[in-house]
Amino acid sequence: MRTPTISLWVWWLLLASILLLIGALLLVNLQPGWLGSLQLNPLSNRTLPEQWQVKDLWLDAVLPVVLALGMALGVNLLPRRRWSHALVLTVLSLMGLRYFIWRSTTINTAHPISLAFSLTLFLCEAVYLITSAVQFIPSIVYEPLQRRREANRLAGWTKEHQPKVDIWIPTYNESERLVQRCVLASKNIRYANKTITILDDGHRPALAALAERLGVDYLSRPDNSHRKAGNLNYALAHTSAELIAVFDCDFVPFRNFFERTVGFFQDSGVALVQTPQHYFNSDFHNRNLGLESVMPDDMDYFFHYLQVIRDNFNAVICCGTSYVARRTAIESLGGYVTSCIIEDHQTGTKLLTRGWRMVYLDEILSLGEVPRSFRDYLDQRLRWMQGNFQIYYSGKELPIWSKLNLGQKSFYFNLLISLFTPFFRLVYLLFPLVSLVLGFTLIAAPPIEYLAYGLPFVILMYTLTTWLTNHHHFQFWNEVYESLFCFPAVGRILQILVSPFRILGSLVTNKDVSSGGGQLDLGLAWPFIAHLTVLVVSLVLFYGLPLVGPSWSRQSFEGEGLMLAWNLYNAWVVLTCLLACVDRPVERQSDRFPLQRIASLRIGGHELWGTTTDVSESGASLVLNQEAFRVQQGLSGQLTLVEEHIELPVRTLPDEHGDGAHRLRLAFAPLSEPELSALIALLYDGTAWYQKPRRMGTVDALLTLLASTWKIVPRPPQGKMDFH
């Protein structure tokens, strides 16, 4: 169990802040004489131009909301064609423009303080609308199956030519179990002309022995300079195949990986083929919220929408694993980029600036492990963020603004702006709270105007974007992801802006299953606790104390209802984040999959038949077809998975549920290489329903978010979720 790490001074600071807040609330909102002159709200309502005024509640306000709801529900009836995408984009753009024009009239100019907050919020919204346009307008050319059809056509070329491929498996401090699993999966790939090499930056004799035992090559360089990039460059100088495939050791490639990717290299201009990263275990927040089998992971939008769009403009991002590269292309750069803390995106960017083509095949051809805890997740994402920032500080080596075309530049511009998303998210979380505490509005307009102009756009933005991305984007959950990341990210960004190439945080993500967790990580969760505490205290002071007596009453401010509603919505998001920070314990050393297979068990002179309910690399559970004799603990036997003709030695484990006559818990005895190889091929082949991407409707995603707040674990919505 990880001990919460939070300094004592932080608790004192939090307590002092709460006490100061209570004092400020009493002073400002109860308005003693010496503060009564502080006017943070407009003295009178501003007047809209004649054609924009809301004159009739039902016609000018309610009707736009009803129409927006109708479009949100009816969009799912449209076929996925270019004209339908163009239609949806046109509707969304017009409503966005309508909203933006109205919002430009709602700046609170009553006081420099309210002006600063209100104008900052408006500018954040403007930037958000611009970046959203860059992301969603290209959906008109969103064709995720295009590359798959091309791979089908190129399969014959691959079979005929079979260019040699070097498979590199870089490792630093990962366990021998992970490396062995990746090596065995690589050996299972159906491709004769391949060589497998373990690139060990940990200089471990055990891995050298593992390589010899498995019959693969082993490289370990004299030092660890330039981290993973240096490791790959050392391999570049000591191998010779025409193509290079890189798999992080926590990934498991499928048998058909090269059958689907190598054919693209018949085009001499193609430098690299990237495939999606997909994970067999759930993100920490989905697992902690009990949504493992329901919600897509937070990278689903990037790998199954953004990368597909980028492919149309030759702006694909190399993601460091599960890709194939042309050796001569990497050598033409002088090797992998070593100036940044990560090598993948930077090397891919350098390829683009040299005129090479990068291809993205939106087809899951490998499975990997995602970080298991909130802290490990943040550690990984903060490192990615710093590496992305470093691209924009490397103008000489990566001349993106002078060498790339307009379409490519638009994506790099959008990425640069999106790197500051943590600041925008802080504005959306904290500014409404400050406005409620100090008693002023961020949007100087009556509620009826927001009903007419704001709510229809919000409805469409939250629903039509999901349809445009083929249900790979959910604005509700995106706000949760951004909120989880924003507090530590802001501090890291400030450090990066001062010293972008300084080593900040760790350089390697923890990839092994651990037994830690099961408690709240206070060192990372305290901003959410503080936010909720301040909001609850404010609500008690403003709306609870006046019920005690008239002396506690105060005058409400214009726009208070909108600010209150916004804060309650933010509280919902923050509470979800707080629940996601409670890491559930990981008690097993290997993941169990709900794999059902007909099996026979020969044990104690008997042959028992049943069906597996779950299988892992270390054991299985077997439900017998009929009641049998009670099997004793510790007996050895042979488990046969009938359909796959896999025989595995097992021993029985203690009966946890007292139903040992019907259900058996089995642990695998030490497996031979062929046995373990067959088991890995069975567990990580990507055909099982639980290993495929999950997609949900917008309403289902919203209801799932609501359910997670109360720790309700919903079942997958019938007929609303599919797998592909």
Side-chain angles (χ1 to χ4, degrees):
M1 299 285 286
R2 178 185 287 131
T3 302
T5 55
I6 184 167
S7 301
L8 182 62
W9 69 268
V10 175
W11 290 111
W12 284 110
L13 178 62
L14 177 62
L15 178 61
S17 300
I18 293 174
L19 293 176
L20 288 173
L21 169 68
I22 294 173
L25 289 169
L26 290 172
L27 288 174
V28 174
N29 287 279
L30 298 183
Q31 297 182 349
W34 60 279
L35 277 179
S37 60
L38 184 60
Q39 182 63 44
L40 298 179
N41 277 300
L43 294 175
S44 60
N45 292 336
R46 58 92 180 88
T47 302
L48 281 172
E50 178 72 20
Q51 64 272 25
W52 288 84
Q53 291 181 15
V54 180
K55 300 176 181 178
D56 184 277
L57 172 64
W58 296 102
L59 184 61
D60 298 331
V62 176
L63 182 59
V65 174
V66 173
L67 292 176
L69 289 172
M71 286 184 280
L73 296 174
V75 69
N76 294 306
L77 301 177
L78 291 175
R80 294 197 172 274
R81 302 289 186 271
R82 290 199 174 187
W83 67 263
S84 58
H85 274 255
L87 175 63
V88 173
L89 283 167
T90 300
V91 170
L92 186 58
S93 300
L94 290 176
M95 292 298 290
L97 182 62
R98 177 178 180 265
Y99 169 77
F100 184 76
I101 294 174
W102 168 77
R103 267 293 277 125
S104 65
T105 70
T106 64
I107 310 301
N108 187 342
T109 60
H111 189 277
I113 294 177
S114 54
L115 174 62
F117 278 92
S118 184
L119 184 59
T120 300
L121 174 64
F122 174 73
L123 293 176
C124 287
E125 287 189 73
V127 172
Y128 178 78
L129 289 175
I130 293 172
T131 56
S132 296
V134 175
Q135 290 184 28
F136 297 123
I137 288 178
S139 70
I140 199 169
V141 293
Y142 176 58
E143 297 183 21
L145 299 180
Q146 178 181 350
R147 289 296 184 188
R148 298 190 199 182
R149 292 191 291 265
E150 188 175 352
N152 294 339
R153 295 194 300 269
L154 295 171
W157 183 92
T158 302
K159 186 179 296 185
E160 179 182 350
H161 289 80
Q162 289 270 309
K164 187 176 181 181
V165 180
D166 277 329
I167 300 176
W168 295 348
I169 303 174
T171 177
Y172 175 62
N173 62 354
E174 296 84 3
S175 69
E176 184 178 333
R177 179 185 70 86
L178 288 183
V179 178
Q180 177 179 253
R181 184 180 67 192
C182 186
V183 170
L184 292 177
S186 298
K187 293 181 71 173
N188 284 337
I189 296 177
R190 293 191 297 261
Y191 197 85
N193 198 12
K194 67 178 186 288
T195 301
I196 302 171
T197 305
I198 298 174
L199 312 182
D200 181 22
D201 247 11
H203 320 295
R204 291 167 288 177
L207 283 191
L210 173 68
E212 182 177 2
R213 185 169 71 251
L214 297 179
V216 300
D217 294 339
Y218 175 85
L219 282 177
S220 182
R221 57 191 176 130
D223 57 27
N224 294 87
S225 59
H226 303 304
R227 302 164 296 278
K228 183 180 176 182
N231 196 7
L232 297 179
N233 283 333
Y234 186 80
L236 192 67
H238 290 80
T239 57
S240 59
E242 178 182 346
L243 301 178
I244 298 163
V246 179
F247 299 108
D248 284 349
C249 62
D250 58 330
F251 272 77
V252 183
F254 296 167
R255 300 187 199 193
N256 64 338
F257 190 92
F258 294 147
E259 295 172 358
R260 304 296 293 167
T261 55
V262 168
F264 290 100
F265 291 94
Q266 73 162 351
D267 181 352
S268 60
V270 171
L272 186 144
V273 177
Q274 178 69 59
T275 67
Q277 292 183 20
H278 188 62
Y279 309 102
F280 56 78
N281 63 310
S282 293
D283 287 334
F284 84 95
H285 31 70
N286 286 343
R287 188 172 64 86
N288 292 346
L289 293 171
L291 307 176
E292 298 98 320
S293 300
V294 181
M295 282 302 300
D297 62 65
D298 70 325
M299 295 299 292
D300 183 80
Y301 170 60
F302 172 77
F303 282 112
H304 300 297
Y305 174 75
L306 283 182
Q307 285 278 63
V308 177
I309 293 298
R310 283 174 165 268
D311 187 33
N312 289 303
F313 298 87
N314 192 25
V316 172
I317 292 177
C318 176
C319 301
T321 185
S322 305
Y323 68 85
V324 185
R326 190 186 300 273
R327 175 182 293 274
T328 55
I330 302 298
E331 289 176 339
S332 71
L333 308 179
Y336 286 85
V337 173
T338 60
S339 58
C340 303
I341 63 170
I342 54 178
E343 86 299 333
D344 45 12
H345 188 188
Q346 293 74 5
T347 301
T349 299
K350 195 171 183 178
L351 286 169
L352 295 177
T353 62
R354 298 294 180 88
W356 287 96
R357 171 74 186 173
M358 293 172 61
V359 170
Y360 183 72
L361 175 61
D362 185 24
E363 181 176 343
I364 295 173
L365 296 171
S366 63
L367 292 173
E369 291 192 42
V370 75
R372 307 277 176 160
S373 69
F374 186 21
R375 189 169 292 274
D376 290 338
Y377 165 88
L378 284 176
D379 177 70
Q380 180 190 69
R381 302 306 166 88
L382 290 172
R383 183 169 61 255
W384 290 357
M385 182 184 70
Q386 183 178 3
N388 288 332
F389 264 112
Q390 289 172 341
I391 289 177
Y392 302 95
Y393 284 89
S394 305
K396 186 174 181 180
E397 185 176 16
L398 306 175
I400 53 179
W401 306 121
S402 61
K403 295 295 185 181
L404 299 183
N405 60 43
L406 182 61
Q408 293 169 321
K409 289 177 184 177
S410 69
F411 285 102
Y412 277 90
F413 171 77
N414 200 53
L415 174 61
L416 175 60
I417 299 301
S418 68
L419 289 174
F420 292 94
T421 296
F423 286 101
F424 302 150
R425 181 50 50 191
L426 276 186
V427 168
Y428 296 142
L429 285 177
L430 299 184
F431 276 31
L433 185 59
V434 171
S435 74
L436 187 66
V437 169
L438 297 183
F440 70 94
T441 184
L442 295 170
I443 302 176
I448 191 173
E449 284 189 15
Y450 189 82
L451 184 66
Y453 295 102
L455 189 56
F457 173 68
V458 169
I459 292 172
L460 295 181
M461 190 66 189
Y462 276 58
T463 56
L464 297 191
T465 54
T466 298
W467 184 88
L468 289 171
T469 61
N470 201 18
H471 300 279
H472 291 300
H473 174 270
F474 303 102
Q475 185 64 33
F476 313 105
W477 282 100
N478 191 54
E479 293 179 8
V480 173
Y481 301 148
E482 291 177 358
S483 300
L484 280 165
F485 186 64
C486 70
F487 288 101
V490 164
R492 181 64 58 87
I493 290 173
L494 295 176
Q495 292 176 296
I496 293 170
L497 294 177
V498 173
S499 183
F501 292 96
R502 177 187 170 193
I503 301 300
L504 303 169
S506 65
L507 296 174
V508 180
T509 303
N510 179 28
K511 298 175 180 178
D512 285 296
V513 179
S514 64
S515 58
Q519 63 181 7
L520 181 68
D521 193 328
L522 290 174
L524 298 173
W526 74 266
F528 305 122
I529 298 174
H531 186 281
L532 290 174
T533 300
V534 171
L535 179 59
V536 170
V537 171
S538 303
L539 295 178
V540 170
L541 286 172
F542 294 167
Y543 306 106
L545 291 183
L547 299 177
V548 176
S551 60
W552 293 95
S553 298
R554 65 182 182 87
Q555 183 178 359
S556 62
F557 61 88
E558 180 188 358
E560 181 175 337
L562 179 58
M563 294 301 101
L564 177 61
W566 194 350
N567 274 286
L568 292 177
Y569 175 80
N570 280 345
W572 181 22
V573 172
V574 170
L575 179 58
T576 304
C577 292
L578 184 60
L579 294 175
C581 292
V582 183
D583 289 321
R584 291 168 60 184
V586 181
E587 299 175 351
R588 304 186 187 278
Q589 290 302 307
S590 57
D591 289 270
R592 294 207 168 197
F593 303 106
L595 194 66
Q596 295 184 326
R597 290 292 187 273
I598 298 173
S600 67
L601 176 65
R602 293 190 297 275
I603 193 167
H606 297 267
E607 183 174 28
L608 308 176
W609 285 83
T611 304
T612 61
T613 56
D614 60 68
V615 184
S616 72
E617 295 176 40
S618 58
S621 293
L622 180 66
V623 174
L624 303 177
N625 292 340
Q626 68 284 325
E627 185 172 349
F629 69 96
R630 185 166 295 277
V631 180
Q632 297 180 356
Q633 175 185 349
L635 289 181
S636 297
Q638 191 83 6
L639 179 69
T640 301
L641 303 178
V642 177
E643 299 170 65
E644 289 80 11
H645 306 289
I646 298 176
E647 294 186 352
L648 303 168
V650 297
R651 59 182 175 82
T652 57
L653 294 175
D655 177 19
E656 292 180 335
H657 306 289
D659 57 352
H662 294 280
R663 180 186 180 94
L664 298 179
R665 297 175 61 245
L666 306 173
F668 296 135
L671 302 178
S672 65
E673 179 187 336
E675 291 169 338
L676 184 56
S677 180
L679 179 61
I680 288 173
L682 171 66
L683 292 176
Y684 306 101
D685 70 345
T687 61
W689 65 267
Y690 52 83
Q691 292 177 340
K692 296 183 179 181
R694 295 173 286 275
R695 293 186 298 170
M696 302 180 69
T698 306
V699 176
D700 294 321
L702 176 60
L703 293 178
T704 302
L705 177 60
L706 178 62
S708 69
T709 309
W710 283 274
K711 302 295 288 182
I712 299 171
V713 183
R715 292 179 293 179
Q718 299 297 320
K720 294 285 186 161
M721 182 172 65
D722 58 16
F723 305 89
H724 72 286

